[in-house]
Amino acid sequence: MTVRSEPAQHAGMRASNLALVLGEIARTGSVSRARVAAHTGLTKSSVSALVTDLISAGLVAESGPASTERGRPATALALAPAGAAGLGLEINVDYLAAVVTDLAGAPRYHHVVRRDNRDRGVDEVVADLIDVARTAAGSAAAQGLPLAGACVAVPGLAVDGTVVRAPNLEWPRVDLADSVGDAIGLEVVLENEANLAALGEMWFGGHQDDSAPLRDFVHVSGEIGIGGGIVIDGEVFRGAHAGAGELGHVVVAPGGPRCACGGHGCLERMAGQQEILARAQVATMADLTHACEAGDQAALDAVADAGRHLGVALASVLTLLDPAAIVLGGAFATLAPWLSAATSASIGHHTGATEPPPLLVSGLGSDAAVRGAAGTVVRRVIADPAAYLAQRPAGRVGPS
Amino acid sequence: MTVRSEPAQHAGMRASNLALVLGEIARTGSVSRARVAAHTGLTKSSVSALVTDLISAGLVAESGPASTERGRPATALALAPAGAAGLGLEINVDYLAAVVTDLAGAPRYHHVVRRDNRDRGVDEVVADLIDVARTAAGSAAAQGLPLAGACVAVPGLAVDGTVVRAPNLEWPRVDLADSVGDAIGLEVVLENEANLAALGEMWFGGHQDDSAPLRDFVHVSGEIGIGGGIVIDGEVFRGAHAGAGELGHVVVAPGGPRCACGGHGCLERMAGQQEILARAQVATMADLTHACEAGDQAALDAVADAGRHLGVALASVLTLLDPAAIVLGGAFATLAPWLSAATSASIGHHTGATEPPPLLVSGLGSDAAVRGAAGTVVRRVIADPAAYLAQRPAGRVGPS
DNA sequence: CACTTTAGTTCACGACTCGGACTATGTATC
DNA sequence: GATACATAGTCCGAGTCGTGAACTAAAGTG
């Protein structure tokens, strides 16, 4: 019928507090029960009981005594690395990738298969992805990491486990979640590559300051197309039909040339890889980088021009969304040395802001999306441990 | 330190369920306890207890028996009109306004004072606003409506009860919330006019379909400036520094003329009232409307051109935010007959979307912001009745 | 070695919701 | 019109879970 939040019951209260405690342990890395109590507002007794459950569920482990100034030393609590793990997969235009991440977010397996997937059949690519996934799952099992699920990054729009649109792969509708899920025996979730890259950057990009983690920003991922991921309060913003964040099709040249999307003057049409390469008169991104390093003027002009157009799009993003930062990822991260000055100048020219938010450069590059995919799985476990434990009857909660 | 959600406790559980029940009653207008139980997932016993509290707090009233098909007839529950009321105030460039709204959202008092506030001192305008507020509060008292608080719509940026920036009024920082709050003895909240207009439109605009209320949309309010309100999942989106939604300063003409905000080629610079009036060679908005009605070509061209520019900005909004609808408000609602065709065409030209979201026209016009301000107050009571009751010891909860 | 300080546990208590039994009050059936 | 049935709402015992104070544990300090 309509939006209707769940009733608050005892089980929900416990689930919520379980998540609160686990989240605090995850956030700090290592804390005592007493500090968790102080930080969360729960009493020591409640925290003790909750921690007991988390330990017996295998999600948390005591990691030895921790020295304190005075008084009895605390016992440090940390996420149990072998408590739960996430499998991240990625289908992209020119590669397949897999990552296994443990509960703490550390990558424990990473594999990339480079191959152009544009001219191959869907079934062929899916079979390859399943192969990659099986190998990754095998590695996880060998390391004693129980996979809590999988998440696949796709270069297109995914709704309810189905790839609805993948322009650069020219795929029809594909029920990817079901086919992959059946093959590897895990629950599989699909998500747009640009959104996952943004999350990966937030969790693993190293931009977060301990006092003020980056939770409101826009991530620009320049792969073959130009994607955008909007993160609001730590969560991806998807819009009413899961189509939000399409930075590549923001208008930067009203009345400009027609774009493949059907619009006119889109950013992707003016500053996409095809356009930059053509203007710089080189064949590949590697060539472009070399040309820029060599000081080739045509290459530098092409990149700076793309930077200017990007700045126009970002100026609109800043006025509309007021993010705390912008992160340049993918190809834009590689080109940042020759691009960001033009982009910053263009942003400054098109907004009146005296102090625009920082323009950061991704440290993960093309790995951001797979890392984000794997992180999504373990973050979900941390955000709702009760749901995870209920789902797998192997893990038993409660005493005796 | 960082984001940290509250621990779930018994009191919070009850507060949450109280809100759930009251929200269900507000949403449906009139329901029985049994239906509330079925819809919320709570048991009949819990609902009974919660409703008893709400009734004794004066927020809900039994509104007589309701016929059912078979079995014992239900007793209908409805919001008590005299349970709590909200005072909405608005300071704008050329008027002050006040509205009192009862719990159900019905306006019970409405007063507008037209006067140009640009060339007057801040203190003078604030004194006038306090006068207007006092008169409104008096009317509420005379009608037996207890005011739960007040909300002031300001044409600028408001942070923590202080007007930080009000470009069209040329105001310095003003502690409006405190001065008005002290004068009328109510808690006062400040909010941007464009955001409140969006909320007013959502709650009272009549766009909501019962099966699918409008909860994700962008509202364009064309007053002297051009404002935008972004509503995501029923709530205003403010961004990291409360500056989100500034539709007026989205770039629609890269490299265009300098705007008062410091940027170049902003929508407001290209399609603001000043620009339209100048191009149409008329003095006031009323003149412009008459000219359009009379078929004056210069006026029609000016409006259509503004519509085209608006379409460019909205195309970017659609690709970035993917809203379920766009609502034209303020002056754009008045001009809609001569503007919306150009806007729709421009949106179509600049996006590839085969089916862009509907372009709706506001039914509230300039009243949207005050109505929204008053609505904010009562909505907050409905969203968290426990907090409201705890705040005023007069209302006693619990039996005996 | 007593005193202080901090960490963590135990347990009686209270605040909830749940769920079934019970009462109230109407319509359908014969 | 008496009986069966269906639905609304109340009552009360049971279960769950956080609280808070008392208690035990384990260090450092004078």
Side-chain angles (χ1 to χ4, degrees):
Chain A
M1 186 165 301
T2 98
V3 194
R4 172 194 321 150
S5 70
E6 292 297 296
Q9 308 176 6
H10 288 120
M13 190 162 78
R14 185 153 194 91
S16 159
N17 285 335
L18 225 36
L20 189 66
V21 169
L22 188 56
E24 185 67 17
I25 295 172
R27 194 177 63 80
T28 54
S30 173
V31 259
S32 66
R33 292 171 173 80
R35 290 189 80 85
V36 171
H39 279 55
T40 58
L42 290 162
T43 58
K44 287 191 299 174
S45 19
S46 301
V47 171
S48 269
L50 292 162
V51 166
T52 303
D53 275 12
L54 290 172
I55 288 178
S56 78
L59 294 177
V60 166
E62 295 190 337
S63 57
S67 62
T68 41
E69 280 296 303
R70 284 190 299 274
R72 169 176 167 180
T75 45
L77 301 169
L79 293 175
L87 172 58
L89 299 169
E90 180 176 2
I91 300 183
N92 218 317
V93 176
D94 47 358
Y95 63 90
L96 298 178
V99 159
V100 173
T101 292
D102 66 21
L103 242 200
R108 302 286 288 264
Y109 172 88
H110 193 166
H111 186 63
V112 179
V113 180
R114 303 215 160 273
R115 180 162 184 184
D116 198 306
N117 294 314
R118 266 174 289 202
D119 47 357
R120 302 172 67 207
V122 173
D123 296 343
E124 222 175 323
V125 177
V126 172
D128 277 10
L129 182 71
I130 289 174
D131 261 9
V132 167
R134 282 212 177 104
T135 311
S139 168
Q143 296 179 70
L145 295 171
L147 290 173
C151 176
V152 187
V154 296
L157 189 64
V159 176
D160 280 340
T162 303
V163 179
V164 174
R165 206 181 58 203
N168 293 317
L169 283 175
E170 294 179 14
W171 275 16
R173 293 176 64 98
V174 184
D175 268 338
L176 203 58
D178 284 348
S179 48
V180 176
D182 289 349
I184 59 176
L186 290 174
E187 200 191 331
V188 175
V189 168
L190 262 50
E191 177 60 275
N192 174 265
E193 163 233 10
N195 290 341
L196 289 174
L199 291 174
E201 204 62 48
M202 174 171 70
W203 291 325
F204 312 118
H207 302 296
Q208 21 193 344
D209 184 349
D210 259 10
S211 61
L214 198 53
R215 291 174 60 83
D216 297 270
F217 67 100
V218 173
H219 181 263
V220 186
S221 61
E223 300 294 333
I224 301 291
I226 297 179
I230 301 172
V231 177
I232 295 172
D233 199 25
E235 299 214 25
V236 165
F237 172 61
R238 295 187 175 78
H241 322 92
E246 283 284 351
L247 192 69
H249 301 284
V250 166
V251 185
V252 297
R258 184 180 175 88
C259 172
C261 77
H264 290 75
C266 301
L267 173 63
E268 190 167 308
R269 178 68 179 77
M270 310 300 288
Q273 278 191 20
Q274 278 200 321
E275 195 67 17
I276 302 182
L277 294 178
R279 280 213 47 196
Q281 296 182 311
V282 293
T284 68
M285 288 304 286
D287 292 347
L288 180 66
T289 310
H290 291 141
C292 285
E293 281 168 347
D296 181 298
Q297 199 57 44
L300 291 174
D301 285 354
V303 172
D305 241 41
R308 264 187 289 281
H309 282 124
L310 179 59
V312 173
L314 290 179
S316 291
V317 168
L318 296 184
T319 47
L320 278 177
L321 299 174
D322 188 25
I326 302 264
V327 180
L328 295 181
F332 288 131
T334 316
L335 297 176
W338 310 283
L339 177 129
S340 60
T343 302
S344 288
S346 178
I347 290 176
H349 185 257
H350 290 105
T351 66
T354 48
E355 207 180 312
L359 192 66
L360 308 173
V361 177
S362 163
L364 300 176
S366 298
D367 290 343
V370 226
R371 296 283 308 271
T376 299
V377 176
V378 297
R379 285 281 159 169
R380 204 170 45 213
V381 173
I382 293 174
D384 194 352
Y388 167 64
L389 296 173
Q391 170 202 308
R392 40 176 257 141
R396 200 149 289 137
V397 200
S400 82
Chain B
M1 187 162 301
T2 98
V3 194
R4 174 193 321 151
S5 69
E6 291 299 296
Q9 307 174 3
H10 289 121
M13 191 163 76
R14 185 154 192 89
S16 160
N17 285 335
L18 226 36
L20 189 65
V21 169
L22 188 56
E24 186 67 17
I25 295 172
R27 194 178 63 80
T28 54
S30 173
V31 258
S32 65
R33 291 172 174 80
R35 290 187 81 85
V36 170
H39 279 54
T40 57
L42 291 162
T43 58
K44 287 192 298 174
S45 13
S46 301
V47 171
S48 269
L50 293 161
V51 165
T52 303
D53 275 11
L54 290 171
I55 289 178
S56 78
L59 294 177
V60 166
E62 294 189 337
S63 58
S67 63
T68 41
E69 281 294 304
R70 283 191 297 274
R72 172 175 165 179
T75 45
L77 301 169
L79 293 174
L87 172 57
L89 299 169
E90 180 176 3
I91 300 182
N92 217 317
V93 176
D94 46 358
Y95 63 91
L96 299 178
V99 160
V100 172
T101 292
D102 66 20
L103 241 201
R108 302 286 288 263
Y109 172 87
H110 193 166
H111 187 62
V112 180
V113 180
R114 305 216 159 270
R115 179 162 185 183
D116 199 307
N117 295 313
R118 265 175 291 203
D119 48 356
R120 303 174 66 210
V122 173
D123 296 342
E124 221 177 322
V125 177
V126 172
D128 276 11
L129 182 70
I130 289 175
D131 261 9
V132 167
R134 283 214 176 102
T135 311
S139 167
Q143 296 180 70
L145 295 171
L147 290 174
C151 176
V152 186
V154 296
L157 190 63
V159 176
D160 281 339
T162 303
V163 179
V164 174
R165 206 181 59 201
N168 292 318
L169 283 175
E170 294 178 15
W171 274 17
R173 292 176 63 98
V174 184
D175 268 338
L176 202 59
D178 285 347
S179 50
V180 175
D182 290 349
I184 59 176
L186 289 174
E187 201 191 332
V188 174
V189 169
L190 261 50
E191 176 60 276
N192 174 266
E193 163 233 8
N195 290 341
L196 289 173
L199 291 175
E201 204 62 49
M202 174 171 70
W203 292 325
F204 312 119
H207 301 296
Q208 22 194 343
D209 183 349
D210 258 10
S211 61
L214 197 53
R215 291 174 60 83
D216 297 270
F217 67 100
V218 173
H219 181 261
V220 186
S221 61
E223 300 295 332
I224 301 292
I226 297 179
I230 301 172
V231 177
I232 296 172
D233 200 24
E235 300 214 25
V236 165
F237 172 61
R238 296 187 175 77
H241 322 93
E246 283 285 351
L247 192 70
H249 301 284
V250 166
V251 185
V252 297
R258 185 180 175 88
C259 172
C261 76
H264 290 76
C266 302
L267 173 63
E268 190 166 308
R269 178 68 179 75
M270 309 301 288
Q273 278 193 20
Q274 278 199 321
E275 194 67 18
I276 302 182
L277 293 178
R279 281 211 48 193
Q281 296 180 312
V282 293
T284 68
M285 289 302 288
D287 291 346
L288 180 65
T289 310
H290 291 142
C292 286
E293 281 167 347
D296 180 299
Q297 199 57 43
L300 292 174
D301 286 353
V303 172
D305 242 40
R308 264 187 289 280
H309 282 125
L310 179 59
V312 173
L314 290 179
S316 290
V317 168
L318 296 184
T319 48
L320 278 177
L321 299 174
D322 187 25
I326 302 262
V327 181
L328 296 182
F332 287 130
T334 316
L335 297 176
W338 310 284
L339 177 129
S340 59
T343 302
S344 288
S346 178
I347 290 176
H349 186 256
H350 290 105
T351 65
T354 49
E355 206 180 313
L359 192 66
L360 308 173
V361 176
S362 164
L364 300 176
S366 300
D367 290 342
V370 227
R371 295 283 308 269
T376 298
V377 177
V378 296
R379 285 280 159 169
R380 204 169 44 213
V381 173
I382 292 174
D384 193 353
Y388 167 64
L389 296 174
Q391 171 202 308
R392 40 175 257 144
R396 200 148 291 138
V397 200
S400 80

